[in-house]
Amino acid sequence: MSESPVRLQSTQAWVDYLSQVELPVLANTLRRINHLTASNNSTVSELAAVILNDAQLTSQVLRLSNSAFYNHSRVQVSTVSRAITLIGFDAVKSMAISSLLIDSLIQRNPRPHLLKALARALHAAVQARCLLPGNSEQAHEEAFIGALLTNIGELAFWSCPTDQASELAARLPADKPAELQQEILGTTFVEITRGLVESWKLGRFIQDVVSAGRASSPAVALVRESVELAREAENGWRSKAVDKRLARIAAAIGEQPASVRDQVRLNAGEAEEIAVSFGIPQIRGLLPGSNDADSHETPQAPQGDPTLQLSILRDISAALATQPDLNGICQMVVEGIHRAVGLRRVALLMADRTGTELVPRKRLGSGTDAWADHFMVNRDGAGDLQCLLTDQCALIEAGDRPLLPDCDAWIGTRPALVGPLFAGPRRVGLFYADNGDLQASLSDDQLVAFSHFVQQAQLCISLLAR
């Protein structure tokens, strides 16, 4: 990755920079795949050869070929050629393009704005593929890729470590994002997208989707609607904007709005599973999800409940006075931090069998499933997570990049509370708590209450050591 040497102030300057300096491999491979699939004379072996030229892409395509989203027959696939024959030329093309895009961007700079844009793109792609009427595999995969690449300019921009990207990120969210983009970039994401689609030769369908004119076909119109639906659903499924969007989609595909509402909620759940298949489980918390609460309001950060804090602390004290049990006490502490202190996500990490890592033993809250296999802190302080190894309970301020980009978009980019546990001089664990995707500060009162709960766990360890 290289810093842009000067400020770029036009659409063409950004297109050239992204195509020639930052993402030439991605651009060239996408051109090759699109050229092959646009030709009626292309063969299975030609597409397979392009995929097999990249070991990581081969592995990703084979994994996706065995996922429920693509492989409805559930027949195990172990070669790319077999995948193309069994699942279909267009489906494998779709996997290859999606995998190339996601892997290329995530490996470069997994900043929060990129992860959010990827979540929105993947959600829109799944909606478009599932909502499009008819049985044509080619049409469904074309819709998927069309929606996925509709905001390729924004995705490419956020993947690059430029000063202008940092400047724009610092001023978001904004009431008029296009005007802010024009001010800082000299252009907009929409214009960069149109330039990249043409420069990278991504095909007529995608050109029609991102063009300024009226939709050239019902499929193009549905892709555009799916992209807007994914954006609007981020504020809840029961918003007025979503209601209007669903009515438009229902009219376009000849279904009842209520039926479409049920379908898009199922599709959103499907998008979460696809995120895992594509190797980006960290964006699941950024997707609306099939089980989102129907709310007109943007979720608010939970508040501490002093009365509940006192009640739970009394229960813990009573348990300590009778028969100290570390597992039971820690479970009560985690629940207290979650419910009474008001933190949406809480984890207790304890030393593993080797004694070199702190790993999750207890987790509570939405979006913490991926922590089980990825949230590991070196006890010697090595690695990006060393900031969590404090000597006392502390508030960790939000940074500008995820500390666990392989599993979570928010650790490191949102304020968090941490509290250590010691057995004598030896660190044996730590509590971690944050509010996930919510952009909310944590108060001094919450830090104090958090500290009280951590002290109870520490007291249990001290009692057991006697």
Side-chain angles (χ1 to χ4, degrees):
M1 297 184 292
S2 56
E3 294 284 351
S4 56
V6 295
R7 287 183 70 87
L8 305 173
Q9 290 293 325
S10 72
T11 301
Q12 192 57 52
W14 280 106
V15 170
D16 291 343
Y17 175 70
L18 294 171
S19 302
Q20 300 169 17
V21 178
E22 293 287 355
L23 301 166
V25 175
L26 174 63
N28 289 332
T29 307
L30 289 179
R31 285 193 195 101
R32 290 181 63 195
I33 292 177
N34 190 67
H35 174 72
L36 278 178
T37 56
S39 170
N40 293 327
N41 297 320
S42 297
T43 65
V44 169
S45 60
E46 287 175 318
L47 178 58
V50 173
I51 295 172
L52 290 168
N53 194 49
D54 184 325
Q56 183 172 344
L57 179 58
T58 299
S59 176
Q60 182 78 307
V61 165
L62 289 176
R63 185 168 80 247
L64 291 167
S65 296
N66 289 297
S67 70
F69 187 69
Y70 285 103
N71 190 340
H72 301 297
S73 69
R74 304 299 176 92
V75 175
Q76 189 72 18
V77 174
S78 56
T79 68
V80 173
S81 297
R82 176 62 173 160
I84 297 172
T85 301
L86 181 67
I87 299 171
F89 195 95
D90 292 289
V92 173
K93 175 197 74 173
S94 174
M95 296 178 209
I97 291 176
S98 305
S99 300
L100 275 169
L101 178 73
I102 291 169
D103 290 346
S104 297
L105 300 182
I106 284 289
Q107 289 177 6
R108 294 173 53 79
N109 193 15
R111 67 169 79 219
H113 289 293
L114 172 60
L115 295 174
K116 184 174 183 179
L118 266 176
R120 183 182 298 165
L122 188 61
H123 183 200
V126 173
Q127 293 289 359
R129 185 183 194 261
C130 295
L131 290 171
L132 186 69
N135 298 317
S136 169
E137 175 197 305
Q138 181 179 3
H140 283 87
E141 297 307 332
E142 196 171 52
F144 183 93
I145 293 301
L148 186 73
L149 299 182
T150 293
N151 294 316
I152 183 62
E154 179 179 6
L155 294 169
F157 172 82
W158 286 125
S159 76
C160 301
T162 63
D163 291 340
Q164 283 161 283
S166 299
E167 183 180 346
L168 181 60
R171 295 178 62 181
L172 291 176
D175 294 333
K176 298 180 179 180
E179 292 184 8
L180 182 61
Q181 293 161 25
Q182 187 70 48
E183 175 190 339
I184 296 176
L185 313 184
T187 184
T188 64
F189 290 154
V190 170
E191 292 302 322
I192 296 174
T193 289
R194 290 171 181 162
L196 290 179
V197 167
E198 181 177 357
S199 175
W200 294 6
K201 303 185 186 306
L202 298 182
R204 172 54 59 186
F205 184 82
I206 299 176
Q207 284 186 328
D208 289 346
V209 170
V210 303
S211 70
R214 180 176 297 179
S216 60
S217 70
V220 167
L222 182 63
V223 168
R224 292 181 180 180
E225 296 286 4
S226 298
V227 169
E228 291 304 308
L229 174 66
R231 179 180 60 82
E232 293 160 350
E234 291 172 0
N235 293 321
W237 285 114
R238 289 291 182 181
S239 69
K240 292 181 179 179
V242 168
D243 289 342
K244 291 180 180 179
R245 189 69 55 189
L246 292 178
R248 288 167 60 99
I249 293 174
I253 65 176
E255 299 284 351
Q256 293 298 317
S259 175
V260 173
R261 181 181 295 278
D262 291 340
Q263 181 62 50
V264 299
R265 296 284 291 275
L266 290 174
N267 296 345
E270 188 83 35
E272 293 191 22
E273 298 304 316
I274 295 302
V276 176
S277 296
F278 275 111
I280 46 174
Q282 65 268 46
I283 73 169
R284 286 183 298 177
L286 307 179
L287 293 164
S290 59
N291 297 315
D292 260 5
D294 290 331
S295 174
H296 291 277
E297 302 294 332
T298 300
Q300 299 296 313
Q303 300 298 313
D305 183 339
T307 302
L308 183 58
Q309 290 172 21
L310 183 59
S311 176
I312 295 177
L313 286 170
R314 284 173 175 166
D315 288 346
I316 295 174
S317 295
L320 285 171
T322 54
Q323 185 177 0
D325 170 64
L326 185 60
N327 183 63
I329 295 299
C330 285
Q331 184 63 47
M332 295 171 72
V333 169
V334 168
E335 181 180 345
I337 294 170
H338 179 66
R339 294 178 54 217
V341 181
L343 279 302
R344 297 179 75 194
R345 310 192 306 175
V346 185
L348 167 64
L349 287 77
M350 298 291 286
D352 64 3
R353 291 181 178 179
T354 68
T356 60
E357 303 272 2
L358 301 178
V359 298
R361 296 300 186 200
K362 298 183 183 299
R363 295 171 285 109
L364 190 58
S366 177
T368 61
D369 290 345
W371 291 1
D373 298 323
H374 297 280
F375 195 174
M376 295 179 288
V377 182
N378 290 325
R379 289 175 64 188
D380 62 5
D384 291 339
L385 295 174
Q386 61 180 329
C387 62
L388 306 184
L389 298 179
T390 58
D391 291 332
Q392 59 187 5
C393 292
L395 169 63
I396 305 297
E397 297 292 348
D400 61 358
R401 65 185 182 88
L403 297 181
L404 286 178
D406 290 337
C407 83
D408 193 278
W410 306 119
I411 294 178
T413 64
R414 294 290 186 269
L417 298 177
V418 294
L421 292 176
F422 292 96
R426 187 166 56 95
R427 187 188 305 273
V428 295
L430 70 85
F431 286 94
Y432 173 91
D434 67 21
N435 275 323
D437 60 320
L438 294 184
Q439 293 185 347
S441 59
L442 299 177
S443 68
D444 290 339
D445 288 342
Q446 286 179 302
L447 174 58
V448 171
F450 174 83
S451 301
H452 288 160
F453 280 100
V454 175
Q455 286 169 5
Q456 300 304 303
Q458 182 62 66
L459 177 59
C460 183
I461 292 175
S462 299
L463 290 172
L464 292 172
R466 292 178 179 176

